[in-house]
Amino acid sequence: MVSIATKIFTYKDYQLEYIVIGSGEKQVLAFHGFGRTAEDYNALKSLKDKYTIYSFNLLHHGNSKFLTDKQVWTKADLKELFEAFLHQHKIETVSFFAYSLGGKVALCLAELLPKKVNELFLMAPDGIKINVWYNLVTKFWLTNVIYKHFIKNPKPVHYVARFLKAIGLLDKRIYKFAYHQTNSKHKREMVYKTWMTFRELNPDLTVVAKNINEQKITTHLFFGKYDRIISAEIAHRLTDKLNDNFQLHILETGHDLVNEKLDEYIKDSLFVI
């Protein structure tokens, strides 16, 4: 895959790195998942003539970072940051593409900037249901200390996880995903920093649904049939609040969704393309 030249947007405490994909009339802000990159959205080749995609590296990914000692991304800052980006690029309305962790950003922006949003494409989005472990580590002193110890010495936790997998108490796919995200000190530190930074970006689904209904925001939710990380079973937490302006798509895959298979599905199945 040919790498696309990155651009930098700076505003107050924040530096966001992004790339521009496609040259279509519709404007998109795209947000990847944890440990992924802005270039993931290059896989959606069928969208490049219809959309101009501004694909961002999330904080602690690539060259996106805080420019000060700030550690938490608040909703107020998120709103102000992307209002400034849209104003600078003279964009009136946008669609959002968001996968996994990026779903928190897109859902919060749908809550905060409803009149700016045309469409939501949410792929296994985080933010519909709060992860129990995420909450424990970011909200409570004791579990925060335990995780910091895990960063330095992961062997006991990995041993217990392997044992639970062996006796059938831990799903093999969950184990594989968790181990892959924590099998180096750099990754464990990145998990911790990212979780702490995103801990206040919890969308109010009642407000999000109200905005989707009132603004008639076309919404597509994509889940992998075999996903054990963010399961399709949680979708009802949002869809139960919506009118008829959404579509739920269940794909024959796991958690890895932003790829050529998704591109083929969108090209063949969605009326908007």
Side-chain angles (χ1 to χ4, degrees), residues 42-61:
N42 270 318
L44 305 185
K45 295 180 175 62
S46 65
L47 302 180
K48 292 181 180 181
D49 290 335
K50 187 179 183 67
Y51 294 94
T52 296
I53 304 170
Y54 298 88
S55 183
F56 292 86
N57 277 327
L58 298 175
L59 289 172
H60 307 304
H61 295 70

Side-chain angles (χ1 to χ4, degrees), residues 90-152:
K90 297 180 172 58
I91 298 172
E92 292 298 322
T93 59
V94 293
S95 300
F96 289 128
F97 295 170
Y99 166 63
S100 200
L101 177 64
K104 291 190 105 183
V105 178
L107 286 166
C108 284
L109 288 172
E111 173 190 339
L112 300 166
L113 300 172
K115 293 184 179 180
K116 293 288 187 182
V117 186
N118 287 322
E119 302 166 304
L120 289 171
F121 291 79
L122 305 173
M123 288 74 81
D126 195 0
I128 291 181
K129 179 183 179 182
I130 296 176
N131 182 294
V132 173
W133 295 107
Y134 176 95
N135 225 22
L136 285 173
V137 171
T138 60
K139 302 292 185 182
F140 299 97
W141 173 81
L142 179 59
T143 43
N144 189 288
V145 170
I146 291 171
Y147 190 88
K148 286 181 178 178
H149 180 72
F150 168 63
I151 291 174
K152 297 177 182 178

Side-chain angles (χ1 to χ4, degrees), residues 65-90:
K65 60 185 179 180
F66 291 115
L67 297 174
T68 64
D69 292 334
K70 197 176 186 72
Q71 297 181 357
V72 180
W73 205 357
T74 66
K75 284 186 178 180
D77 282 359
L78 179 73
K79 179 176 185 287
E80 188 175 352
L81 180 63
F82 280 99
E83 280 180 329
F85 182 87
L86 295 176
H87 177 75
Q88 183 182 102
H89 290 79
K90 297 180 172 58

Side-chain angles (χ1 to χ4, degrees), residues 28-34 40-41 44 47 53 96-104 106-107 120-128 219-224 227 230-231 234 248-249 251 253-259 262-263 265-266 270:
V28 169
L29 304 186
F31 308 103
H32 61 75
F34 174 80
D40 284 2
Y41 287 97
L44 305 185
L47 302 180
I53 304 170
F96 289 128
F97 295 170
Y99 166 63
S100 200
L101 177 64
K104 291 190 105 183
L107 286 166
L120 289 171
F121 291 79
L122 305 173
M123 288 74 81
D126 195 0
I128 291 181
T219 301
H220 293 275
L221 295 112
F222 302 84
F223 291 90
D227 192 348
I230 300 179
S231 169
I234 70 168
L248 178 63
H249 310 271
L251 281 65
T253 187
H255 188 61
D256 185 12
L257 278 172
V258 185
N259 51 38
L262 176 64
D263 184 52
Y265 179 86
I266 290 175
L270 296 193

